Amino acid sequence: MTPREPWTPPVPPLWGNTLSVGFEPHFLGPLKFWFREYIPFDTLTVVGLKAHLDWTRFSGLRDQDINKFVDAMFSRTDTEILLALDAALYELGPPSRYRIPGAKPEAADALNEMLEAGGSAWRVRNDGCGLERRVLEAVRVAVEGAISSARATSADASDHLANAWRHAYGISPDATSAYGEAIRAVESASARLVEPHNAKGPAGSHFVEAI
């Protein structure tokens, strides 16, 4: 018997027109399962706070009521569900060193697979600590390559690039902050070439020196 090839979701030609920013009914069952399977009850309470859920609806719930808690969480708006997912990933921490004792190592990957298979506009960040908008794979790979290359010569430049990406494509996009971080990345990358003895100089000083 010929082994089956792993299933991969089709890639739509124009993601912006086809991927779902919200959470349609087909998402709810799998996402509820993810919370029940990977997020302990004690952590769910923290997630609920960070997602600004109305706690009057959850008073008196205990560990055995986790299903009620998750059902209530997913009766909220798409924005609150998005905040809850992002907060849950943050509480888990990086997959290489989860902060929650006993957390299953595949938690972040499992959520990412669900989002991709369901056609979500959101994906798990590479560090596993939150969500970001899904972009064309070629764009994401190019940016990751730039961040990695920058780290070889300037850790500051690499960090600024990563922050610029998060501000641009995170769940709360901030164009002004993204632009500012991108400028800082360019300055940090050029610092050693322009002023090798003043790599930590104030913003703009390297360009003044170059004139």
Side-chain angles (χ1 to χ4, degrees), residues 33 43 82 86 90 98 100 117 143 145 148 156 159-160 162 179 184 187 201 211:
F33 170 82
T43 304
L82 180 65
D86 190 71
Y90 177 82
Y98 279 144
I100 299 175
V143 171
S148 178
D156 286 344
D159 290 342
H160 286 310
Y179 178 78
R184 294 184 188 97
E187 183 178 12
I211 296 175

Side-chain angles (χ1 to χ4, degrees), residues 9 16 18 31 50 63 78 83-85 103 105 113 116 128-129 133 160 175 179:
T18 58
L31 293 180
K50 290 188 174 183
D63 284 17
D78 285 344
L83 287 171
L85 290 168
E113 288 173 6
E116 183 178 11
C129 295
R133 286 295 292 258
H160 286 310
Y179 178 78

